[in-house]
Amino acid sequence: MIRSAKIVFVLKNVAFLTLMCAYAMRPALSHMYSTLGTAAHADMRVKNAENFSPSLYLYLFIFYVSLEKFFITRNLVISSLLHCPTWSYPLLQYMTNFDRVLLDAPCSGTGVIAKDTAVKVSATPSDRRRRLSVSSLTVKLVILTGKILNFCQ
Amino acid sequence: MSIPSPVQFWVGCVSPLLAHFLIRCDNITGATPEYLAGHYMIQGGSSFLPVMALAPQENEKILDMAAAPGGKTSYIAALMRNTGLLVANDRSKDRLKAVIGNLHRMGITNSIITNLDGKEIGKVTNHT
């Protein structure tokens, strides 16, 4: 149980480190990853095998697996990186100049009535006011791209 | 959540191979090996309409705010044919787990999943 907990902890740390590296050192890491499968690198790893501890091997293996997961498929998960100024700058490059924005957020929720009839009773006027504020924010966001479609309130 | 009395109902299916269609399915359609392999996903037929109005093109940069649970996001990615950049944002971290599962299962590789408040994105891009 303790070992599995440690492995889970290492996995979380490595995934976090990989996420950090994905934004700061993406070109360098992708080059490193492209050279991983070469025979010369494998020989080097065999020569250095005596200096490596098993835990370090495990660490490297998990790091490579997570690296592959994050680079082969570009599905990155970002969790509130804006609060960290060091890592927010690479994020800013992604989060600007969108061609299109889909915001289906001010949803009235009336479509759920077919599944859950309690929605009819639980809706309050404050919900409607909040929806209006969100839709006004939408107008502000989309005003530079110039097109907004308002389906329902 | 249990499905109410009509056993069969109309749903829309999206696959990464741009075969989005409406089929008539029953309760076990979400448990087939093809579903788990990511050949299709199930969502309400009305979920297609906002994406059709958005009309995403290939090699574009698209932000999907309030993306959970990922049905419209996968449809956008199918229309983009896995090119360009698709940022799927949602405020709730718990609902984002469904987005991650759906996007990985469907084999969508052009997406970045963020857990930000939509108002923060507005502050970042200086649009507010």
Side-chain angles (χ1 to χ4, degrees):
Chain A
M1 291 295 292
I2 294 174
R3 282 184 181 176
S4 63
K6 275 184 182 176
I7 288 175
V8 168
F9 182 67
V10 167
L11 262 175
K12 282 183 179 176
N13 277 346
V14 169
F16 183 71
L17 278 177
T18 313
L19 176 60
M20 296 293 108
C21 295
Y23 280 101
M25 301 177 288
R26 180 170 178 156
L29 278 178
S30 60
H31 179 261
M32 190 183 82
Y33 182 76
S34 66
T35 59
L36 278 186
T38 62
H41 193 88
D43 289 340
M44 207 168 64
R45 272 192 293 176
V46 170
K47 285 178 184 173
N48 295 333
E50 297 173 356
N51 302 328
F52 283 168
S53 62
S55 61
L56 191 58
Y57 260 128
L58 177 67
Y59 183 86
L60 281 177
F61 173 73
I62 297 174
F63 182 77
Y64 289 159
V65 167
S66 53
L67 202 66
E68 182 182 1
K69 192 173 180 181
F70 277 116
F71 280 104
I72 299 304
T73 76
R74 278 171 53 199
N75 285 330
L76 301 177
V77 184
I78 304 164
S79 178
S80 299
L81 279 180
L82 287 184
H83 303 296
C84 180
T86 309
W87 303 106
S88 62
Y89 178 70
L91 181 61
L92 295 187
Q93 296 177 343
Y94 283 114
M95 302 298 281
T96 54
N97 297 325
F98 287 103
D99 293 320
R100 297 163 199 264
V101 176
L102 173 65
L103 177 54
D104 207 21
C107 175
S108 58
T110 50
V112 199
I113 290 179
K115 294 178 183 174
D116 186 11
T117 52
V119 180
K120 285 193 283 190
V121 193
S122 64
T124 58
S126 67
D127 290 340
R128 181 168 177 81
R129 280 196 295 273
R130 196 176 68 237
R131 257 180 269 132
L132 283 175
S133 66
V134 170
S135 59
S136 63
L137 174 74
T138 315
V139 174
K140 288 179 184 173
L141 276 173
V142 184
I143 201 163
L144 285 184
T145 54
K147 185 179 179 182
I148 182 168
L149 288 165
N150 208 342
F151 277 96
C152 62
Q153 281 294 323
Chain B
M1 181 181 295
S2 64
I3 305 296
S5 54
V7 176
Q8 288 192 336
F9 54 99
W10 288 94
V11 297
C13 289
V14 174
S15 82
L17 302 177
L18 205 63
H20 42 274
F21 45 85
L22 286 168
I23 63 165
R24 197 175 176 87
C25 71
D26 51 11
N27 289 341
I28 64 169
T29 315
T32 62
E34 288 82 7
Y35 177 83
L36 296 175
H39 295 311
Y40 67 92
M41 77 172 298
I42 303 171
Q43 55 180 305
S46 60
S47 298
F48 287 117
L49 296 178
V51 185
M52 287 175 180
L54 186 75
Q57 307 296 322
E58 298 180 20
N59 295 313
E60 272 187 344
K61 191 175 182 180
I62 296 182
L63 167 67
D64 185 8
M65 302 166 74
K72 298 183 189 69
T73 311
S74 56
Y75 185 39
I76 293 173
L79 287 180
M80 293 166 72
R81 294 174 186 267
N82 252 341
T83 60
L85 179 66
L86 173 60
V87 179
N89 178 61
D90 201 277
R91 193 178 169 185
S92 165
K93 193 179 284 186
D94 289 335
R95 286 170 63 87
L96 268 184
K97 292 171 185 172
V99 179
I100 295 167
N102 275 326
L103 293 192
H104 274 295
R105 185 171 53 79
M106 300 295 288
I108 293 165
T109 58
N110 64 342
S111 66
I112 291 178
I113 304 167
T114 59
N115 178 22
L116 305 170
D117 196 348
K119 299 167 187 173
E120 292 186 12
I121 298 177
K123 287 175 187 172
V124 164
T125 56
N126 293 321
H127 285 185
T128 50

